[in-house]
Amino acid sequence: MQIQDLPYADPGVPDARSGPRFLWWLFRNQLGGQAKSLAWGLLHFLSVASLPFAVGIAVQAVVDRSGGRLALAGGLLALCCVGLALGGVLLHRAAVTNWITAAARVQQLLARKTARLGAALTRQVAAGEVVAVSTGDVEKIGWFVEALSRFTAGAVTIVVLCVGLVVYQPALGVVVAVGVPVLALAVLPLLPRATKRADFQREKAGKATELASDTVAGLRVLRGIGGEELFLDRYRSASQEVRRAAVRNASMWSLISAVQVLLPGLLLIAVVWRGVHLAREGRIDVGELVTAYSTVMLMTYPLRNFEEIAMAYSFSRPSARRAARVLSLERNGDIDGSRAADLPSGDLYDPATGLLVPAGRFTAVVCGDPDAAGVLAERLGGHPTEESPSVHLGGVPLDELPLDSARTAVLVQDKDPVLLSGTLRELLDVPASGAVGADAALAAAQCGDVLESLMQGSLAAEDPLDARITERGRSLSGGQRQRLALARSLVTDPEVLVLDEPTSAVDSHTEARIATGVRELRAGRTTVVFTSSPLLLDHADGVVLVHEGKVAAVGVHRELVHSERRYRAVVTRETDEEAGRGAAPADVPAPEPAAPGLAAIDELTEAELTELEEIEETA
């Protein structure tokens, strides 16, 4: 795999049982690149290791006044330099390729997992942790995969050097052969503590990233309630904890680096001391002494890879563990599906609550608990919980369908939809049936003023669809973001569309028009709206009240608001005291809702709403 071949057609199925297993899986899937990096690494390091032998031959040739051997030494030096340069360049190229391709594989796996889990992801793991894994952790995992082949090349080179010295000059070679393993293993007692400190730093950094992500996401709200400084102080405190952990971690690695410098120096002193005595006794030549000295001096170069691989593993292990934890997450139910991909049609039924949504109708669902409404909406989209069975569409359980088919059949828009940065055209460029155009969807969602706002912010755009949307639509109001998200959902035109509080941030006049537009545009399609707004409820073909996890009442808004006390309490926002005073026997008609303002709006016609809006604008 080369960089220009990215992305992978299929990144594979990772072994996410643990961090080390995940790293080993990545290595096995890059054997070709690792072998190439190892080959060029051996050429590079062996060329470096051969330099002392060529220098020793040259020195001895000068002492012996041998021109032939001096020319041979010059040729060997030139050959070593060519191998060193060629191997170094191609080793770096192969190593960087391994790094980038490994990081790209992990990013593709994370993106695929995110797309597969959808909204279920953030219920199982914090969004900030996903961000940390897909950025800093991916880089550290790639670093270890890249360093592994260079470490292997350095280890093989050191073995070759030790064997070569023992054969070339046994008296000095034995000293080196005994001393080098001590150098390589001397840092092992320090690694557990260094690894622990690296894990602690990564944990602190992950929490700081999560806090920063949450703070940025809720900055508008924090400013509104005056809590901006409070959260900034929390982030400052978290960042200082990260700094202190990083300093402690760096101090340990500086100690390891010092050991890696000190011990080779001591070995070099021992070799020189032993070599001088052997030379004075006449047991070795000057050239042999120079060769042994140069070999030990240059041996520190491949030995650095021992420190690097230890550091890379210490940093990548917690990163790999975090990545494996995210990649091991699963949806409740059968991910791949056990049925054919044929899209079912028919009524939507939830066995847990008894909710039945007739096919082709506009149904509103009222829940007293907004959190319960969100859970039910997600379950209708094919995300069952462990305690609740899957919903059925046309008698077919959604979790038995392939994921792509289930998502084509049912689309859920949650109460906090996300708008990605880009143009409006890109926002609306989603998988769709083709039956609903962008203009019709924008009109039904009442996005006229949103288009004007976007055009004012993008002076270079001539077409509203080419206007730019900032990250997460932060330049727009909450109601404008809701309407654009609704338009995107309407363009998709799924068999079943589930909307969770789609107009909670929209004024009442616009909300009434949206209700009319959505009803007309979705005629003949199944639409489920979770809401307590009388304006939306009055436009629904049927209304279902879900109370304490079960269907409590079914009817239309104008009937239920008079006959069902629990329904009226949710829709009109009655307090418990007001609901108690207004309670009536089942056979006696209940009084009008306690909130006359809402009831009055409920009775307005479209013409009266338009007249009220014109009076407001004039005022």
Side-chain angles (χ1 to χ4, degrees), residues 6-88:
L6 294 174
Y8 289 93
D10 180 10
V13 180
D15 186 349
R17 289 176 290 177
S18 66
R21 287 178 183 272
F22 181 62
L23 291 174
W24 175 243
W25 177 83
L26 281 175
F27 175 78
R28 287 190 291 106
N29 279 270
Q30 288 189 301
L31 287 179
Q34 295 291 338
K36 187 182 296 184
S37 180
L38 175 61
W40 294 124
L42 287 174
L43 175 61
H44 178 68
F45 288 129
L46 290 176
S47 298
V48 174
S50 301
L51 287 174
F53 292 95
V55 172
I57 294 174
V59 171
Q60 193 62 42
V62 173
V63 172
D64 297 340
R65 298 182 181 277
S66 173
R69 280 190 294 166
L70 185 61
L72 175 63
L76 288 176
L77 282 172
L79 187 62
C80 289
C81 290
V82 171
L84 190 152
L86 181 64

Side-chain angles (χ1 to χ4, degrees), residues 229-270:
E229 285 301 324
L230 174 62
F231 274 78
L232 287 177
D233 288 341
R234 291 181 182 177
Y235 179 73
R236 291 190 189 101
S237 176
S239 64
Q240 288 302 311
E241 291 181 5
V242 175
R243 180 189 61 80
R244 288 190 290 269
V247 170
R248 294 184 70 249
N249 187 29
S251 65
M252 180 56 64
W253 285 108
S254 65
L255 176 60
I256 292 175
S257 298
V259 171
Q260 290 284 298
V261 173
L262 175 63
L263 293 184
L266 295 177
L267 177 62
L268 187 61
I269 293 172

Side-chain angles (χ1 to χ4, degrees), residues 195-218:
T195 301
K196 183 178 180 180
R197 292 189 179 185
D199 291 352
F200 183 74
Q201 180 191 350
R202 292 303 305 145
E203 179 183 353
K204 291 295 184 181
K207 290 182 178 179
T209 301
E210 293 174 18
L211 180 60
S213 176
D214 294 342
T215 302
V216 171

Side-chain angles (χ1 to χ4, degrees), residues 255-543:
L255 176 60
I256 292 175
S257 298
V259 171
Q260 290 284 298
V261 173
L262 175 63
L263 293 184
L266 295 177
L267 177 62
L268 187 61
I269 293 172
V271 169
V272 172
W273 181 82
R274 175 64 175 165
V276 168
H277 280 73
L278 292 175
R280 291 177 63 182
E281 294 173 1
R283 295 171 58 183
I284 64 171
D285 297 328
V286 175
E288 293 174 335
L289 176 59
V290 172
T291 298
Y293 170 81
S294 303
T295 301
V296 175
M297 185 176 63
L298 291 178
M299 197 176 290
T300 57
Y301 178 53
L303 273 174
R304 292 175 189 169
N305 290 279
F306 285 79
E307 177 188 351
E308 182 188 14
I309 196 65
M311 183 180 293
Y313 180 72
S314 297
F315 277 88
S316 65
R317 192 183 69 169
S319 297
R321 184 174 63 247
R322 289 155 63 101
R325 184 167 64 248
V326 174
L327 294 175
S328 64
L329 299 176
E330 299 290 355
R331 290 173 65 235
N332 293 316
D334 184 3
I335 292 179
D336 297 324
S338 56
R339 291 178 177 263
D342 297 336
L343 293 181
S345 60
D347 298 342
L348 186 67
Y349 175 67
D350 177 34
T353 60
L355 173 64
L356 177 65
V357 180
R361 301 190 66 190
F362 186 1
T363 302
V365 179
V366 176
C367 292
D369 183 1
D371 293 334
V375 172
L376 178 54
E378 291 174 359
R379 193 160 66 242
L380 293 180
H383 295 281
T385 61
E386 296 180 357
E387 300 80 10
S388 305
S390 171
V391 300
H392 294 67
L393 179 60
V396 178
L398 282 181
D399 61 359
E400 293 185 6
L401 290 174
L403 183 60
D404 293 341
S405 299
R407 287 186 170 172
T408 302
V410 182
L411 173 66
V412 178
Q413 176 182 306
D414 60 25
K415 63 181 65 178
D416 296 312
V418 175
L419 303 182
L420 302 179
S421 60
T423 64
L424 181 56
R425 191 185 307 277
E426 292 170 341
L427 176 71
L428 300 179
D429 184 17
V430 292
S433 66
V436 178
D439 293 339
L442 290 169
Q446 300 298 308
C447 293
D449 65 311
V450 185
L451 299 181
E452 293 178 3
S453 177
L454 289 175
M455 288 295 290
Q456 291 175 0
S458 303
L459 299 178
E462 297 181 358
D463 188 337
L465 292 179
D466 295 326
R468 299 287 304 180
I469 299 174
T470 58
E471 181 185 3
R472 299 178 69 90
R474 298 189 189 279
S475 62
L476 302 173
S477 68
Q480 290 174 328
R481 288 197 298 271
Q482 275 192 336
R483 283 178 280 165
L484 284 181
L486 177 59
R488 179 177 57 187
S489 301
L490 293 175
V491 166
T492 304
D493 189 37
E495 182 69 25
V496 178
L497 176 60
V498 180
L499 304 173
D500 187 5
E501 295 288 356
T503 58
S504 58
V506 177
D507 64 85
S508 58
H509 305 308
T510 306
E511 187 177 29
R513 293 190 177 90
I514 290 175
T516 301
V518 171
R519 179 186 174 91
E520 293 176 353
L521 192 65
R522 293 284 301 171
R525 293 285 207 180
T526 305
T527 306
V528 185
V529 180
F530 285 83
T531 184
S532 59
S533 168
L535 294 173
L536 285 177
L537 295 170
D538 195 40
H539 283 78
D541 295 323
V543 179

Side-chain angles (χ1 to χ4, degrees), residues 106-146:
V106 178
Q107 285 179 328
Q108 280 189 248
L109 290 171
L110 290 170
R112 185 175 67 181
K113 178 62 67 173
T114 302
R116 187 179 293 272
L117 291 178
L121 175 64
T122 52
R123 295 200 306 270
Q124 301 183 56
V125 64
E129 182 171 356
V130 178
V131 173
V133 171
S134 60
T135 52
D137 287 340
V138 165
E139 182 179 349
K140 290 176 175 59
I141 292 171
W143 177 27
F144 174 75
V145 173
E146 174 264 335

Side-chain angles (χ1 to χ4, degrees), residues 543-557:
V543 179
V544 179
L545 172 65
V546 177
H547 181 69
E548 295 182 352
K550 297 293 181 180
V551 172
V554 179
V556 295
H557 168 64

